[in-house]
Amino acid sequence: MGRFTKTFREIRKDMFQICGGKASHLGELTSIGLSVPYGFCIIRDAFFHHLKENGLERDVFGIARTIDYEDIADLDKKTENIRSLIENAPMPKEIEEEITDGYNSLGKDDPFVAVRSSVAIRDSEISSFPGLMDTYHYLKGADRVIDYVKKCWASVFTSRATAARYRKGIDHERAIIAPIVQRMVNAKCAGVMFTLNPVNGDLSKIVIEGAWGIGEGVVSGNVTPDRFVVDKVILEVNEKQVSCKNLKYVYDPNEKKAVYKEVPEEDQRKCCLEEKEIMELVRLAKLIEDHYKIPMDIEWAIDIDFEFPNNVFILQARAESVWSKKKAEPVVGKKSSYELLMERAMKTIKLNQ
């Protein structure tokens, strides 16, 4: 696109040092033909250009070096000061122009978009800090997007993100933030899925969780989602739990932002996914895992404005981060497959005696 922006079509998974982890994966998924909502990334260099052009580098990183991490009030006050410096400084015109052009390319009549954080650590394999930076939904108009890109930049200095880097011994100047601007999905429902069972690490299962509205309710834990456990091989739903979903996170035209609203009583105990949608999500999960060759953590949404299967969108994919780091062990009683087979055989012999 330009010096400071790249479309998803220009991005691949190995570009996380330029575009952050989220954008690099969305670019990779786009390249293999998956349904990813259109978008673009404001690359790493834009943030540092913003600091340099406004003479903020010394102040931002100078304040960061004086934080007393044993004093929560000091951490909160100084990170708030840093965020104010970043947000209140005028964005360089050359970056503004590229963002405006990118936003206008996403559709006519000022489409709704999200501004999402995409992060990494310079000279490191780290490309994800889940939940530590900010995401903003249902933004409309280039000027508003520009304001929220600055807020997204500033969120690299939330108290949580700043303290997390300190605990890991990571210099703040190595933090990479490359915001994504992406078309919103008008979600009937949304959620997450794992290409293993996150409860016990079973690699033969895909687990899908979803609820009404956009996925914030599921990711934040504010809504108890429906849950489906599907066998990867025979594609059979082994478990199906339909929860009482009394809240949904949706756009409110009066407040002009996403809010939690009560779900109509007749829909609260209704399954949020149709059988064919579950199977399509399973198909996509297997395809993504086969491409990356590791267990994956995936975010998805079902768009109410499209017909199946064009209504199924992938919003994010990253490596599963819990079981993938553990030593592989048998799921059932920590016995090997040989031991389980012999145990079953011996039971049969005893029954036949």
Side-chain angles (χ1 to χ4, degrees):
M1 274 180 73
R3 178 183 171 193
F4 295 108
T5 56
K6 290 186 181 295
T7 66
F8 290 166
R9 294 183 183 278
E10 298 175 286
I11 300 171
R12 296 295 181 269
K13 65 181 178 181
D14 60 354
M15 295 172 66
F16 62 90
Q17 286 286 299
I18 299 170
C19 301
K22 188 176 294 175
S24 64
H25 288 307
L26 290 174
E28 185 73 13
L29 296 173
T30 299
S31 76
I32 63 173
L34 297 191
S35 292
V36 174
Y38 296 134
F40 63 95
C41 172
I42 299 102
I43 66 171
R44 170 196 69 192
D45 292 350
F47 173 57
F48 291 100
H49 186 67
H50 176 72
L51 296 184
K52 183 178 180 180
E53 289 298 297
N54 285 288
L56 295 178
E57 292 170 301
R58 179 179 295 180
D59 288 342
V60 165
F61 297 115
I63 293 170
R65 282 190 286 272
T66 69
I67 295 171
D68 179 358
Y69 290 92
E70 301 301 318
D71 184 341
I72 299 299
D74 188 66
L75 171 66
D76 288 345
K77 180 180 179 180
K78 288 177 178 175
T79 53
E80 183 180 359
N81 288 344
I82 292 172
R83 292 196 302 276
S84 295
L85 288 173
I86 295 168
E87 290 181 36
N88 293 331
M91 184 182 288
K93 285 293 182 185
E94 53 271 34
I95 302 177
E96 275 193 359
E97 289 171 1
E98 287 195 33
I99 292 174
T100 300
D101 289 344
Y103 174 75
N104 290 335
S105 75
L106 296 180
K108 299 177 180 178
D109 302 322
D110 286 351
F112 280 120
V113 297
V115 171
R116 309 172 70 194
S117 60
S118 180
V119 301
I121 298 298
R122 194 186 297 268
D123 303 321
S124 166
E125 292 299 311
I126 297 172
S127 61
S128 177
F129 279 90
L132 294 186
M133 280 55 153
D134 291 338
T135 289
Y136 307 95
H137 299 105
Y138 289 105
L139 304 176
K140 195 177 183 71
D143 289 344
R144 196 151 188 251
V145 169
I146 287 165
D147 287 341
Y148 278 85
V149 166
K150 289 198 293 182
K151 287 180 181 292
C152 191
W153 279 340
S155 74
V156 81
F157 281 102
T158 62
S159 296
R160 290 176 301 157
T162 307
R165 287 193 298 275
Y166 172 77
R167 288 195 302 270
K168 293 177 181 291
I170 298 169
D171 193 298
H172 298 303
E173 295 182 45
R174 293 174 58 205
I176 292 168
I177 184 156
I180 292 165
V181 178
Q182 187 175 28
R183 280 196 67 134
M184 286 295 305
V185 172
N186 187 17
K188 173 192 80 169
C189 61
V192 298
M193 57 182 173
F194 303 88
T195 62
L196 52 62
N197 190 327
V199 175
N200 57 22
D202 187 349
L203 292 166
S204 71
K205 301 293 188 287
I206 290 172
V207 175
I208 302 170
E209 297 181 345
W212 302 121
I214 64 176
E216 178 66 22
V218 176
V219 174
S220 66
N222 290 327
V223 177
T224 302
D226 295 340
R227 186 172 185 271
F228 315 90
V229 180
V230 184
D231 189 288
K232 275 183 190 173
V233 179
I234 62 174
L235 304 182
E236 182 179 275
V237 179
N238 298 147
E239 297 177 36
K240 180 178 180 179
Q241 299 173 5
V242 178
S243 302
C244 180
K245 303 171 290 299
N246 61 324
L247 292 176
K248 59 181 177 179
Y249 195 61
V250 294
Y251 181 70
D252 185 317
N254 295 320
E255 296 194 35
K256 295 185 178 179
K257 64 179 183 178
V259 298
Y260 283 101
K261 288 191 172 183
E262 189 169 349
V263 175
E265 189 172 350
E266 63 271 19
D267 292 333
Q268 290 183 7
R269 294 189 178 275
K270 185 184 294 184
C271 186
C272 70
L273 284 169
E274 299 177 30
E275 187 74 22
K276 62 184 180 182
E277 292 168 342
I278 295 171
M279 289 299 107
E280 177 64 7
L281 286 171
V282 168
R283 185 186 73 83
L284 294 172
K286 291 181 66 176
L287 193 156
I288 293 168
E289 183 180 56
D290 288 346
H291 180 74
Y292 281 92
K293 303 188 187 312
I294 54 173
M296 298 296 288
D297 171 353
I298 302 161
E299 294 181 17
W300 55 268
I302 308 295
D303 196 311
I304 200 169
D305 294 331
F306 293 88
E307 296 294 325
F308 178 83
N310 297 323
N311 60 343
V312 183
F313 286 90
I314 299 299
L315 306 181
Q316 182 174 340
R318 60 186 173 222
E320 190 277 333
S321 60
V322 178
W323 289 95
S324 300
K325 294 179 181 178
K326 296 184 179 182
K327 182 181 177 182
E329 291 181 335
V331 174
V332 184
K334 297 195 175 183
K335 296 178 181 179
S336 70
S337 56
Y338 175 78
E339 289 171 327
L340 289 168
L341 185 63
M342 290 303 296
E343 186 177 279
R344 183 177 296 177
M346 291 305 294
K347 284 182 180 178
T348 304
I349 291 169
K350 288 177 182 178
L351 285 171
N352 290 335
Q353 284 180 342

